[in-house]
Amino acid sequence: MAALSAARGTKSRSLGRKVSYLLKASTQVYAGGMVMVDVNGLAQPANAEAGNNGCVGVATESVLSTASGNERITVQEGIFLFDAASIAQANVAERVFAHDDQTIDETTGSNTPLAGVLVEFVSSTSGWVYIALGTSISKAT
C-alpha cells in the first residue's frame, strides 16, 4: 500500500492511553495512521527513516504542522487492524514493522520502524497489531 492521503477509519479494540507529541515541522499526519517518533523526538507518519524510534500509536486526529513546527499530534495505544504486505498465522505474537502509516509486514526493510506485535492474523494482507506507548515493543532495536 501507499502512505495515507486522507484520514483512515482504522478499526480498533482494547484502547489504552493517549499521549500528545510535538509534530515534525511541515508534516501531515492523518487520523487513523500509525505515528512514529524520529531520531529528534518528533512525531511523524510511520515511514522508513534512519534512526527512527519506532511507532508510538495511532493518530486520533489529522494535523498539518506549519514550518515553525509548534503543533502537537495525539496518538492512542491499543490493538488496531492494519493492512499487511504479507503476514502468516505463524507471525502471531511476533514483532511487525510499519512499511508506511497504514501497512505492516513481518519483515523489516531498510530503516522501517517497529510497529508493534501481531496479536491476531486475519489474512495474509490484514492483521490486528498491538501498538504501545513508550514500551520496549514500540522502540526500534
Side-chain angles (χ1 to χ4, degrees):
M1 298 218 64
L4 291 173
S5 59
R8 177 182 194 271
T10 304
K11 292 182 180 180
S12 62
R13 58 186 184 200
S14 301
L15 296 176
R17 300 167 292 174
K18 290 183 182 180
V19 173
S20 174
Y21 290 91
L22 187 62
L23 191 56
K24 183 176 180 179
S26 303
T27 300
Q28 173 73 61
V29 172
Y30 293 103
M34 286 181 278
V35 175
M36 70 174 208
V37 172
D38 68 15
V39 70
N40 298 310
L42 301 171
Q44 64 180 340
N47 70 88
E49 184 174 297
N52 73 75
N53 290 319
C55 293
V56 292
V58 171
T60 62
E61 60 196 335
S62 294
V63 177
L64 173 61
S65 67
T66 62
S68 64
N70 294 323
E71 293 76 21
R72 298 186 74 79
I73 184 74
T74 300
V75 301
Q76 184 157 33
E77 70 179 358
I79 300 173
F80 301 92
L81 182 62
F82 279 106
D83 294 331
S86 176
I87 58 173
Q89 179 66 42
N91 300 122
V92 170
E94 292 181 350
R95 291 176 172 198
V96 290
F97 302 87
H99 281 226
D100 56 44
D101 55 354
Q102 66 171 338
T103 311
I104 58 155
D105 195 25
E106 87 283 3
T107 59
T108 182
S110 180
N111 300 312
T112 52
L114 179 61
V117 172
L118 183 67
V119 295
E120 184 179 333
F121 171 80
V122 175
S123 71
S124 63
T125 59
S126 180
W128 289 90
V129 180
Y130 173 58
I131 302 175
L133 301 168
T135 67
S136 60
I137 67 158
S138 292
K139 185 89 168 153
T141 56

